[in-house]
Amino acid sequence: MHPVAVLLHTPAYSQMAGALTYLSLQPLPPGTLVRVPLGSRELLGVVWDSAAPNPATPALDPAKLRPIAAALLDLPPLSTRWRALITFAASYYQRSAGEVALAALPPQLRDLTSVQLARRLNRPVSKPVSPGTPAPASPTVATATALNMKRPVRGELVEPLGLQNSPLESVTSAGPAQLQANGFAIRGDHQRLPVGHEGNQQLAEAQPDQNRAGGTECAIDNVALTAEQARAIAQFHSNGGPFLLFGATGSGKTEVFMRCTADLLAANPHSQALVMVPEINLTPQLEARFKARFGALYGDAAVVSMHSGMTPPQRLRSWLAAHQGKARIVLGTRMAVFASMPHLKLIVVDEEHDPSYKSHEGARYSARDLAIYRGRLEGAKVLLGSATPSLESWYHSRPAAEGGRYLRLDMPSRVGTHAVVPAALGSMPLTAGSLPLTAGRPPQVAGTLPLVRRVDMNHQPKGCVISPPLLDAIGQRIARGEQSMVFLNRRGYAPVLSCDACDWKSTCPHCSAYRVFHKIDRTLRCHHCGFTERVPRACPDCGNLDIAPVGRGTERLEEHLAQLLADSRRPDGNPVHIARIDADTTRFKGSLEMQLAQVHSGEVDVLVGTQMIAKGHDFRRITLVAAVNPDSALFSSDFRAPERLFSLLMQAAGRAGRDASNTSRSEMWVQTFHPTHPLFEALKRHDFPAFAQSQLVDRQQAGMPPFSFQALVRAEARTQEAAQAFLNLASQASAGLLQAAQLLPHITLYPAVPMNIARIADIERAQMLVESPSRTALQRFLSAWQAVLHTSRSQPECKGLIRWAIDVDPLLI
Ligand code: ADP
Ligand code: ZN
Ligand code: ZN
């Protein structure tokens, strides 16, 4: 019997962190997936590189070791590079390697027996080997059955739905009617998908002609690249990267991603590319584009998706295709950064600034940062793209002579327009209250991007929500048959209900937050814990009948606009159609797509929504975008708030005038009480570099990232005192660390404070910021400090502590 080290899904701080030793009849190479007994359960594990024997620890007593239950030898082992990525991620984000490794595998893999796996892999089921048979050279033979250990009962009983009997070929030949008869839903009808069937994907695969004949996408292959695109691609090929593609919205970044992918895939028949996008909502769009382009070359099966909106069988299928090298392109959200791709040659991170690349549970990894690391490990090129890069990436892409490590590729102009100020702007009447457009926009971006108008709310009627000039501008759009988009980053009708007579407010009994008034179903809903009640008829405290909404969310904005625009008529004489898109209107699967389709078809005149509508979607007919109330982010305690606001407004502005024939008229309106704020000045000029520069200067002076490195320790407890006591005790105890004298001079430990929302669902939350000018010092401190945190929890003051976690490079502070 051979001892093998096996990683299991164990928390960072259990006695079992690190690999456990099991016995196997045959030696198993690291990376092999195995099933092993743990207590009375049987778990999926990964054979790990065994640590060098430590003379200090007594030798393991083989008699006490348990044998593995099965080895999934039908699967090639996970590569050395994949394991190195896991090891790095675990140590950098202060979690156990087992947790990170197992979380990175598709959940359904846990339940699969080797027999089922073999079936899944379209291979004959391996013949059992009898114990004592020499280890087979070929990985197609499973020892699982041979080892006749406890059989995995659960997996045997539950044959994953949809794994068998869904050969794509038979579907492919069927028409839509046939598909529906077979239980496949028609597009957009996600609700009716049979569990476990990859309805959407199969349907997409089933209609290759429709996908490809879409024309536009195929045609683009033949479309000449813009000079900027051609230059970016040439630079990509002649340099090693990592690259930051800094391209205006509509500059054709996706086309660059696709060409770079195409070139690398064509150069090597095995090579694979990973393309990441921030949101699940954006994957179908991208998948369609990539399938249209690459399906024709490599077959539709060569492009797979990976995101949390997929069913377990879908995820397993994609994962296997990537792991076996059958998938040439993996499109996915942040989780895809861990996809096993043995021939990875390119990682694209679209909208690299997007906060959703950072995980906020388990290992709080940044998929963007791991992409950079992984690229180096794998020898794969890394291409980050954004119109408003994160300040970290922007800083890294400063000139190499100044220490920059990324190569910046600039694409300042929009596709299909010329970099001149459209004549129409000169004659545009300036509406009262809006600041005149000043000259001096950087010439390379002028003209093709929308005109930014700031409305000084200090000079508007008191309490108005939509200023008269903005209303007028929207009215003009409606009359011309153009669309407007108005966004407000708060859903619901009003953020709080309040009683005039006493001090009652619609606080959530379980959270330190107000419950939001949703008029549509007359509920008060807590957006943090979900606690929902009917709106009381009268004030619960004093009985006053007059309880009133305070403030405004998208629901109320929609209602308000409907009143203001009641008399407006579309060119066809019909009344205005106002639609709203936010988390409330898109709760059901498919509803977002449906609503977006309405916007695209031109049915909608005014679209109201949260930031959800500001991102990514390509609205061609929108010629006016308005941010109604963006000011709060200017004065937030979170030092990243201005960065997020700027990026959001730039993204939103980028929605306007995507159709070249409309660009001359398109406008971005910002209602603000601080019209001369530098952020809006830079926005007006579409000048991200200037904004970034001013932010970086501020951050350098304040010693903030990227000029320092941070980690947050968050603690949750029954009482705020316990949460804070735990953090403060651990902080004090760090003085007792063995390496304290070396490390502590480089580390600042701030006092524990309640989190912004101190209580959610009756749990009190506190946090402590740890900062260092040196990433290495911070890393070394955190690894040493983990043990201290762990032991602090047993102090009497910490009674009631529920959990704690370290967040390295936190985004929200
Ligand atoms: P970005 O991602 O930079 O915002 P996209 O990649 O979505 O921009 O491109 C904007 C639009 O321009 C898309 O409709 C795309 O099909 C089109 N496009 C991209 N490159 C070209 C080109 N070279 N010639 C013509 N149209 C292009
Ligand atoms: Zn009252
Ligand atoms: Zn609540």
Side-chain angles (χ1 to χ4, degrees):
M1 294 287 246
H2 302 267
V4 286
V6 177
L7 272 192
L8 299 172
H9 194 158
T10 47
Y13 239 90
S14 66
Q15 281 96 351
M16 300 174 308
L20 301 184
T21 307
Y22 287 84
L23 293 175
S24 162
L25 273 186
Q26 54 174 323
L28 295 173
T32 307
L33 288 167
V34 290
R35 309 175 63 84
V36 295
L38 185 72
S40 59
R41 292 181 302 162
E42 190 177 272
L43 301 176
L44 180 72
V46 187
V47 175
W48 216 245
D49 314 70
S50 42
N54 182 350
T57 51
L60 291 166
D61 177 1
K64 294 207 175 124
L65 294 181
R66 298 174 75 178
I68 63 165
L72 303 179
L73 292 181
D74 283 302
L75 272 186
L78 292 151
S79 71
T80 312
R81 295 182 304 276
W82 187 86
R83 299 195 310 275
L85 174 69
I86 297 295
T87 307
F88 169 78
S91 103
Y92 188 81
Y93 294 106
Q94 308 292 324
R95 310 294 290 201
S96 76
E99 178 188 359
V100 177
L102 275 297
L105 297 171
Q108 207 179 31
L109 211 48
R110 284 178 217 146
D111 305 330
L112 239 48
T113 66
S114 32
V115 177
Q116 291 165 329
L117 183 67
R119 206 178 296 163
R120 196 77 182 86
L121 293 170
N122 284 337
R123 289 194 199 162
V125 176
S126 321
K127 275 195 229 80
V129 241
S130 55
T133 321
S138 142
T140 49
V141 182
T143 45
T145 37
L147 291 172
N148 69 17
M149 304 305 165
K150 226 174 18 181
R151 299 307 316 272
V153 181
R154 188 160 50 123
E156 283 292 66
L157 292 178
V158 189
E159 177 73 11
L161 283 173
L163 292 189
Q164 6 53 321
N165 310 329
S166 57
L168 284 181
E169 306 76 59
S170 69
V171 178
T172 312
S173 56
Q178 176 76 53
L179 288 174
Q180 272 188 283
N182 287 348
F184 289 96
I186 47 167
R187 216 185 248 302
D189 192 0
H190 305 263
Q191 288 327 133
R192 290 191 2 227
L193 286 181
V195 186
H197 272 82
E198 297 162 41
N200 242 0
Q201 190 185 334
Q202 292 195 342
L203 189 58
E205 286 167 4
Q207 301 170 320
D209 290 338
Q210 273 188 18
N211 270 339
R212 289 191 201 128
T216 49
E217 293 305 336
C218 255
I220 275 199
D221 233 348
N222 310 319
V223 160
L225 293 171
T226 65
E228 289 176 1
Q229 286 174 325
R231 195 185 55 204
I233 294 168
Q235 282 180 289
F236 172 83
H237 286 308
S238 53
N239 289 281
F243 305 92
L244 176 64
L245 179 59
F246 172 52
T249 45
S251 61
K253 292 188 288 296
T254 313
E255 182 62 24
V256 171
F257 296 153
M258 292 207 284
R259 297 271 178 142
C260 293
T261 305
D263 294 342
L264 289 189
L265 294 195
N268 170 342
H270 297 296
S271 57
Q272 295 176 296
L274 168 63
V275 181
M276 290 197 284
V277 286
E279 302 215 15
I280 295 177
N281 291 336
L282 300 178
T283 51
Q285 224 176 353
L286 195 73
E287 188 177 316
R289 281 179 85 168
F290 272 78
K291 281 214 162 129
R293 173 76 60 94
F294 295 98
L297 290 170
Y298 305 111
D300 279 346
V303 183
V304 302
S305 291
M306 241 180 234
H307 57 74
S308 58
M310 294 162 67
T311 63
Q314 286 173 323
R315 270 175 70 176
L316 178 62
R317 183 196 287 251
S318 293
W319 187 87
L320 288 175
H323 179 61
Q324 294 176 294
K326 290 180 186 161
R328 303 289 305 278
I329 300 176
V330 173
L331 305 173
T333 50
R334 66 169 178 258
M335 62 155 63
V337 77
F338 290 115
S340 164
M341 300 177 73
H343 308 290
L344 186 60
K345 287 288 172 282
L346 170 66
I347 308 178
V348 171
V349 185
D350 193 11
E351 310 286 7
E352 67 88 29
H353 63 278
D354 199 290
S356 69
Y357 283 119
K358 181 87 158 93
S359 163
H360 34 69
E361 61 201 10
R364 283 137 175 98
Y365 64 90
S366 156
R368 178 201 57 221
D369 295 350
L370 285 180
I372 299 283
Y373 186 86
R374 185 171 189 185
R376 224 170 30 212
L377 265 181
E378 306 255 7
K381 287 194 175 184
V382 180
L383 179 53
L384 312 178
S386 177
T388 52
S390 64
L391 289 180
E392 281 81 1
S393 299
W394 184 253
Y395 183 62
H396 287 319
S397 71
R398 67 196 185 280
E402 294 167 25
R405 296 186 286 115
Y406 302 174
L407 183 62
R408 193 183 294 165
L409 313 175
D410 287 300
M411 296 207 302
S413 321
R414 278 187 158 185
V415 170
T417 42
H418 299 288
V420 291
V421 181
L425 288 191
S427 58
M428 176 129 16
L430 284 171
T431 24
S434 65
L435 291 185
L437 167 81
T438 51
R441 292 194 281 168
Q444 73 274 21
V445 298
T448 62
L449 287 166
L451 169 65
V452 174
R453 287 171 177 275
R454 294 160 297 168
V455 180
D456 185 347
M457 295 303 277
N458 297 297
H459 298 148
Q460 299 302 322
K462 206 165 174 286
C464 81
V465 177
I466 301 283
S467 60
L470 174 57
L471 184 64
D472 185 46
I474 295 175
Q476 289 177 27
R477 295 295 182 303
I478 296 168
R480 286 206 295 265
E482 296 169 8
Q483 296 176 306
S484 303
M485 181 173 109
V486 183
F487 81 94
L488 175 66
N489 238 350
R490 180 183 269 159
R491 67 193 166 87
Y493 188 83
V496 56
L497 276 190
S498 162
C499 166
D500 284 347
C502 72
D503 227 9
W504 182 84
K505 290 201 167 48
S506 56
T507 3
C508 174
H510 308 292
C511 305
S512 40
Y514 294 124
R515 276 176 298 163
V516 175
F517 173 41
H518 289 256
K519 191 176 178 186
I520 201 150
D521 54 1
R522 299 207 63 82
T523 54
L524 287 176
R525 278 188 234 160
C526 175
H527 288 185
H528 302 284
C529 72
F531 181 66
T532 302
E533 276 180 337
R534 298 273 303 162
V535 171
R537 289 187 180 286
C539 171
D541 282 2
C542 74
N544 173 19
L545 287 177
D546 203 13
I547 44 178
V550 181
R552 186 171 310 268
T554 44
E555 207 183 308
R556 193 172 189 186
L557 183 62
E558 180 190 17
E559 184 186 273
H560 187 55
L561 274 166
Q563 288 159 2
L564 292 174
L565 296 169
D567 298 329
S568 300
R569 289 286 172 272
R570 312 168 48 134
D572 60 12
N574 284 323
V576 212
H577 183 168
I578 300 176
R580 171 167 59 96
I581 297 188
D582 58 27
D584 295 317
T585 68
T586 53
R587 197 146 331 131
F588 298 105
K589 238 184 154 189
S591 56
L592 176 64
E593 289 77 4
M594 219 175 67
Q595 293 173 55
L596 290 176
Q598 272 191 352
V599 180
H600 289 299
S601 74
E603 228 175 280
V604 172
D605 304 300
V606 181
L607 177 62
V608 177
T610 52
Q611 60 174 343
M612 195 178 230
I613 55 172
K615 284 196 202 171
H617 306 290
D618 195 350
F619 299 122
R620 314 226 127 219
R621 301 166 193 243
I622 286 182
T623 59
L624 181 149
V625 174
V628 173
N629 180 17
D631 279 350
S632 61
L634 297 178
F635 309 101
S636 164
S637 61
D638 182 345
F639 71 92
R640 280 196 179 82
E643 180 183 352
R644 281 194 298 269
L645 175 64
F646 190 85
S647 142
L648 184 66
L649 294 177
M650 283 280 273
Q651 296 284 326
R655 299 305 114 217
R658 290 203 140 224
D659 191 337
S661 61
N662 281 330
T663 50
S664 57
R665 295 199 277 267
S666 67
E667 298 179 356
M668 162 92 204
W669 286 64
V670 177
Q671 297 192 142
T672 171
F673 287 96
H674 308 275
T676 55
H677 192 284
L679 189 149
F680 296 131
E681 294 281 352
L683 180 74
K684 185 189 68 184
R685 300 190 310 266
H686 300 282
D687 194 350
F688 176 80
F691 168 74
Q693 183 54 29
S694 75
Q695 285 286 305
L696 285 174
V697 168
D698 288 356
R699 295 220 194 150
Q700 187 159 28
Q701 279 164 1
M704 300 276 197
F707 304 97
S708 70
F709 300 89
Q710 298 181 324
L712 268 187
V713 192
R714 300 202 179 89
E716 297 184 355
R718 300 267 168 246
T719 63
Q720 186 60 231
E721 292 70 37
Q724 293 191 22
F726 163 73
L727 295 170
N728 289 329
L729 280 174
S731 170
Q732 287 149 22
S734 66
L737 284 175
L738 213 53
Q739 312 90 320
Q742 291 159 292
L743 288 175
L744 288 183
H746 307 285
I747 302 289
T748 310
L749 284 150
Y750 291 87
V753 290
M755 286 178 63
N756 251 347
I757 298 166
R759 183 170 47 105
I760 289 184
D762 294 318
I763 291 176
E764 294 285 347
R765 300 138 25 103
Q767 65 182 28
M768 173 176 281
L769 182 64
V770 189
E771 208 173 62
S772 172
S774 150
R775 199 194 282 274
T776 322
L778 180 63
Q779 278 292 310
R780 288 178 43 208
F781 172 75
L782 291 175
S783 353
W785 195 38
Q786 278 251 11
V788 174
L789 280 159
H790 192 68
T791 45
S792 300
R793 114 167 263 174
S794 49
Q795 301 286 318
E797 296 93 319
C798 305
K799 192 163 176 285
L801 184 75
I802 298 164
R803 59 181 90 85
W804 58 275
I806 299 180
D807 185 351
V808 181
D809 304 330
L811 278 188
L812 293 171
I813 294 188

